[in-house]
Amino acid sequence: MTVLSPKPTVLACLIFFQTCLLVNTANPWSQLHPVPVPAKLNQSLNLLALQREFLTNFTTNIGEIFSNFDFDGFGNETKCTAKLTELVEGIISGSLSQESIAFLDALGKPGPGITLGNFMWLGNYEMCEKGALATAGNKYQNCVLTGTLYLGYYPLNLTWTGCSPPECRDKDDFQNIFKQIAALINKSGMIHTDPASWNAQCDVDEEFDVGAYAAVTVISIFGFLVVVGTVWNLLEPIIVSFMERNRDDTTVLVDAEEEGTEGQDAPANSRKYATSNQPESFIVRFLKCFSLQKTMNTLFSMETKPGQILCLNGIRVLSINWVVLGHSYLYSLSNTGGFSYLGELTKRRNFMLVLNGLPSVDSFFALSGFLVTYLLLKQLAKRGGLSPLQWMAFYLHRYLRLTMPYLVAMLVEGWLYKLVMTGPRAQLVSSGPQNAHDMCEKFWWTNVLYINNFVPWKTAEACLGQGWYLANDMQFFFVAPIFISLLFWRPLVGLVGTVGGMICSAVTAAIITAHYKLGPATISDSNQDDFWLMYNKPWIRITPYLVGILGGWFYWKWGDEIKKGVKTLPEWLKVMSATPIWLVTAAIQYAVVFGLYDDVQDQMQHQKAAKEADSVSYQSLARIAWSLSLTIQILLCQCGLGGFINSLLSWNGWLVLSRLTYSVFLLHIGLLTVYGAQMRHVLFLNPDFEFAVLYLGLLAMSYLAAAVLYLTVEQPVANLEGITYRKSA
């Protein structure tokens, strides 16, 4: 066995020490759920003193550390260790080859701000395939290594990227190196690590699999239908005009012939020519459903219908923008270079809008319950009930409208993104733990059946992580007619049942919180069990939906009478009566969002857990308080007591954006994932202007991508529904 010389081995070890000290933050699926992120913040805010102490300790005692290191190499010599020694020996001897220079130049290196939490060292991704590293068939590839160090009890996730030589591709090589370097790190005394927590992902040439072919096929079918439908819609006036002219010529000819037939008139049905008055065939109507002219007219239409609840448009847009804001910040944790900046952000009270943005999701549940109830009660009152066929159409309509865009988003994010993503951390995103592709291969069927908040039960694994919301919403939609029918036929029974459901949900949340000792909200709870116990389960999340059901029923039953009464009131009395209600509901909403500020500070700054009473009360009552306040505000707007707030929320400018909110919800996390995977630099979330540019840019891209999905899939499916079974419903 050839023994590596000490100096090159030390240098190689240092390089790989730097190589392996890198963050497992590139996993977007784990960061989609709010649980790991607060833990990362919580554990990182108090690391600065430990980091400085470690740096002093490590640098002053590095000689002693290496003097105790086993210089027999990284175990048995392999092609990988031999190549690394060859690359770094030039530094010792002073004779660097072009390959060695390029290798070291492309290697990620510690950047500024280590004592401020910058432990993400990104190499030069492009150099792996260009210049000296791309010649002579070397085939260097970008690799990202991740690992967890512990400073005391605090886990510190580190990420490193660089160009790996072709000899270092075997997992055994990496694991062997990890073990040796872990032994070296653990000798520092204060810092320790487990080599089993380290992982290496190198770029590979992704290949089309069955899912990718399915994605391309589905997208191609929709694209083909859009092109054909649009072309037909554009050419239809020309074709009809031609046939009209042909009809006129034929009519003249027939009349001339009839004059010479001894006065006998030809039967009217013997004149066979096409006219623009003839009904369109189903094929023509089918194709026109996909016409961009038709779908764009729908998207950009500013027309409103009588009785439409216009204030919901503004609430939808503001709520989805809030969701994107929270996810943008949380996803940016994967790319941040300074946890201390995030620590400063958490000290600002207004940052609770990001940390505690969970009510934005409850708003959608409340809106959904309100609309479903109001519209279904109108149908029940009009028809006196629904037939089994109409109930079937009721459910089928909802399933198809949600599922087709949902399916396309899953196919794109689960199978196509990995084929097009490039960047320093792209491979970790596409092939790392809980990556979209693997999760979609395993669990796509749970999304289609809307049971992905149950299967798998105890993990945060999911295909299209935000699908937990759609699963809950569909489940609520399926049980909503039970409550709505009772409210229609037996109002007292329905009222008791709906309120009873809210109470049961709140009590369940309180019991689970107390039993598992959870925090007051997911943001302040480092226990990952919070997600599968509370966050995505329908018996916890149904409360806002039930509040929305009560609001929709109230508005259907008494809305018109209240509006008539309000119209008779003088303006000053309207203001005097509505202002206290607005102030109280706004104060409740403020308390829900910002009321956890002190608890967050105690936990993140001082490591003090929230009191059990605070946790239980917040987990059980916050959703009711938020959704009830929002529902009351909707009723105020609709009954003529909204004032300038109603004017703002009902502004027609919201109409276009509100139609895109569902597609924005489906697509924005995928865009954030791609953005994080291809970033070539570390992102510092300070000052605010930098993040404002990032957020607004991603928000604009989300709406643009949503417009494409809406025009090619969502609205065409809605148009098809209009020509097939809507009348039967």
Side-chain angles (χ1 to χ4, degrees):
M1 180 185 73
T2 302
V3 179
L4 298 177
S5 61
K7 290 184 179 180
T9 305
V10 170
L11 189 52
C13 188
L14 280 173
I15 291 173
F16 269 87
F17 170 71
Q18 171 185 302
T19 299
C20 301
L21 299 186
L22 268 183
V23 175
N24 200 8
T25 54
N27 175 7
W29 298 107
S30 65
Q31 291 178 16
L32 167 63
H33 313 301
V35 178
V37 174
K40 206 173 287 182
L41 279 172
N42 179 22
Q43 294 158 346
S44 300
L45 290 175
N46 293 314
L47 287 178
L48 298 183
L50 286 172
Q51 291 166 7
R52 295 188 182 98
E53 184 179 347
F54 161 70
L55 287 173
T56 301
N57 186 1
F58 190 81
T59 54
T60 56
N61 296 284
I62 192 169
E64 180 181 350
I65 293 169
F66 278 101
S67 66
N68 295 322
F69 184 69
D70 181 8
F71 286 110
D72 287 336
F74 300 101
N76 294 329
E77 182 180 5
T78 64
K79 291 182 179 180
C80 177
T81 56
K83 181 63 178 179
L84 290 173
T85 302
E86 174 190 335
L87 288 172
V88 301
E89 269 186 336
I91 298 178
I92 305 300
S93 63
S95 57
L96 286 173
S97 66
Q98 290 295 322
E99 185 180 0
S100 296
I101 293 174
F103 171 75
L104 295 174
D105 188 22
L107 193 65
K109 303 168 185 66
I114 292 179
T115 58
L116 298 178
N118 180 12
F119 292 94
M120 179 174 291
W121 305 330
L122 303 181
N124 190 304
Y125 176 78
E126 280 69 24
M127 289 187 67
C128 299
E129 299 179 354
K130 295 180 181 179
L133 299 184
T135 61
N138 287 328
K139 296 183 180 179
Y140 276 71
Q141 288 183 327
N142 177 77
C143 290
V144 53
L145 289 91
T146 62
T148 303
L149 302 177
Y150 291 88
L151 301 180
Y153 293 100
Y154 298 100
L156 181 61
N157 295 321
L158 304 149
T159 302
W160 177 92
T161 70
C163 301
S164 172
E167 291 82 0
C168 297
R169 301 289 167 78
D170 193 285
K171 289 186 177 180
D172 291 337
D173 285 328
F174 286 113
Q175 289 302 323
N176 192 23
I177 294 170
F178 292 163
K179 290 178 182 178
Q180 293 295 314
I181 298 177
L184 169 64
I185 293 173
N186 292 334
K187 289 180 181 180
S188 66
M190 183 176 181
I191 188 171
H192 64 281
T193 186
D194 180 0
S197 69
W198 294 14
N199 185 43
Q201 295 285 342
C202 295
D203 285 356
V204 296
D205 294 329
E206 301 288 354
E207 296 181 356
F208 267 62
D209 55 12
V210 175
Y213 281 111
V216 172
T217 301
V218 170
I219 293 172
S220 298
I221 291 173
F222 275 103
F224 174 78
L225 292 173
V226 168
V227 171
V228 174
T230 302
V231 170
W232 171 259
N233 215 12
L234 292 174
L235 296 180
E236 185 181 29
I238 301 175
I239 297 173
V240 171
S241 176
F242 172 79
M243 299 184 72
E244 288 286 350
R245 289 197 303 270
N246 185 59
R247 185 198 67 173
D248 295 339
D249 294 340
T250 305
T251 303
V252 172
L253 177 60
V254 170
D255 290 343
E257 291 177 349
E258 289 174 350
E259 290 178 359
T261 56
E262 300 180 356
Q264 297 179 0
D265 294 331
N269 59 5
S270 68
R271 301 179 181 181
K272 299 181 184 289
Y273 47 76
T275 71
S276 58
N277 295 325
Q278 290 181 343
E280 293 179 323
S281 67
F282 178 80
I283 295 297
V284 172
R285 287 183 293 153
F286 176 85
L287 291 176
K288 290 174 72 173
C289 289
F290 293 86
S291 168
L292 285 177
Q293 183 178 355
K294 183 171 184 177
T295 54
M296 289 181 72
N297 286 340
T298 303
L299 174 60
F300 294 105
S301 173
M302 292 296 175
E303 295 182 4
T304 59
K305 299 178 181 179
Q308 190 172 348
I309 307 176
L310 296 178
C311 66
L312 299 187
N313 295 323
I315 297 174
R316 281 197 197 96
V317 175
L318 295 176
S319 296
I320 195 62
N321 291 354
W322 190 5
V323 170
V324 176
L325 174 68
H327 284 158
S328 296
Y329 255 108
L330 297 183
Y331 268 68
S332 295
L333 286 175
S334 355
N335 312 306
T336 185
F339 282 121
S340 64
Y341 291 132
L342 295 174
E344 292 301 317
L345 287 174
T346 60
K347 295 177 182 179
R348 291 161 39 176
R349 189 174 293 272
N350 61 357
F351 195 67
M352 291 299 296
L353 285 169
V354 174
L355 281 181
N356 194 19
L358 307 183
S360 60
V361 180
D362 292 326
S363 297
F364 281 107
F365 282 135
L367 295 183
S368 183
F370 190 101
L371 271 179
V372 168
T373 303
Y374 177 67
L375 296 177
L376 183 56
L377 286 173
K378 289 177 65 176
Q379 289 296 315
L380 291 174
K382 179 181 178 180
R383 301 171 184 267
L386 298 181
S387 66
L389 182 61
Q390 290 169 337
W391 278 115
M392 185 181 301
F394 172 79
Y395 286 114
L396 186 61
H397 159 74
R398 179 75 169 187
Y399 182 83
L400 292 178
R401 288 286 295 273
L402 291 185
T403 305
M404 291 311 299
Y406 188 21
L407 178 62
V408 172
M410 278 194 295
L411 289 172
V412 170
E413 189 165 329
W415 281 275
L416 295 187
Y417 273 173
K418 68 178 296 184
L419 299 176
V420 299
M421 279 193 300
T422 61
R425 298 184 301 126
Q427 190 61 31
L428 187 60
V429 173
S430 62
S431 301
Q434 295 185 359
N435 68 82
H437 177 267
D438 291 350
M439 293 303 99
C440 285
E441 278 197 333
K442 290 172 62 178
F443 299 117
W444 65 269
W445 58 275
T446 66
N447 294 66
V448 174
L449 295 177
Y450 293 94
I451 58 173
N452 47 296
N453 57 338
F454 290 112
V455 181
W457 178 261
K458 285 190 177 183
T459 71
E461 296 177 334
C463 171
L464 208 69
Q466 66 270 38
W468 72 267
Y469 166 84
L470 297 176
N472 278 276
D473 187 70
M474 183 64 74
Q475 291 157 13
F476 300 158
F477 182 83
F478 268 82
V479 302
I482 299 174
F483 297 96
I484 297 171
S485 297
L486 287 174
L487 288 169
F488 181 78
W489 298 107
R490 297 289 187 271
L492 182 59
V493 176
L495 184 61
V496 172
T498 307
V499 174
M502 294 164 53
I503 295 174
C504 289
S505 177
V507 171
T508 302
I511 293 173
I512 293 175
T513 301
H515 179 74
Y516 290 95
K517 302 186 183 304
L518 302 178
T522 308
I523 62 162
S524 60
D525 197 344
S526 59
N527 185 352
Q528 194 167 354
D529 289 343
D530 191 308
F531 185 80
W532 65 268
L533 284 170
M534 299 280 290
Y535 192 76
N536 70 345
K537 291 301 182 283
W539 44 81
I540 302 297
R541 304 312 296 256
I542 197 173
T543 310
Y545 201 94
L546 294 176
V547 173
I549 286 177
L550 289 179
W553 170 71
F554 182 91
Y555 181 61
W556 168 77
K557 193 170 185 65
W558 290 291
D560 290 337
E561 295 180 14
I562 294 176
K563 283 190 283 187
K564 290 179 182 178
V566 169
K567 288 181 179 179
T568 63
L569 299 177
E571 197 64 30
W572 67 268
L573 187 54
K574 293 180 184 179
V575 174
M576 292 293 293
S577 57
T579 299
I581 303 176
W582 276 105
L583 291 176
V584 170
T585 54
I588 293 174
Q589 291 172 325
Y590 180 89
V592 171
V593 176
F594 297 95
L596 291 180
Y597 176 77
D598 292 334
D599 288 317
V600 170
Q601 296 308 303
D602 286 341
Q603 176 136 3
M604 292 187 172
Q605 305 294 339
H606 309 295
Q607 299 298 301
K608 290 174 58 179
K611 296 179 181 178
E612 183 175 335
D614 293 342
S615 299
V616 170
S617 60
Y618 190 90
Q619 289 276 26
S620 59
L621 300 177
R623 296 180 182 89
I624 296 177
W626 176 270
S627 53
L628 183 60
S629 299
L630 180 63
T631 301
I632 292 173
Q633 291 168 351
I634 294 172
L635 293 173
L636 289 173
C637 289
Q638 285 304 111
C639 293
L641 297 173
F644 74 93
I645 297 177
N646 180 53
S647 299
L648 174 63
L649 295 176
S650 302
W651 175 50
N652 280 351
W654 299 117
L655 284 171
V656 176
L657 297 179
S658 69
R659 297 183 182 113
L660 299 176
T661 52
Y662 177 53
S663 293
V664 168
F665 177 76
L666 291 176
L667 299 177
H668 76 281
I669 287 181
L671 293 175
L672 284 166
T673 301
V674 174
Y675 171 77
Q678 61 81 42
M679 280 191 66
R680 267 63 168 175
H681 66 280
V682 175
L683 174 67
F684 287 86
L685 299 183
N686 191 31
D688 293 339
F689 181 79
E690 180 179 7
F691 183 78
V693 173
L694 168 64
Y695 165 64
L696 293 176
L698 287 170
L699 185 65
M701 290 181 63
S702 297
Y703 274 105
L704 288 175
V708 174
L709 184 62
Y710 178 90
L711 293 173
T712 58
V713 180
E714 185 179 350
Q715 188 54 42
V717 171
N719 293 338
L720 285 175
E721 182 262 346
I723 67 171
T724 52
Y725 59 85
R726 178 177 291 177
K727 291 183 179 180
S728 66

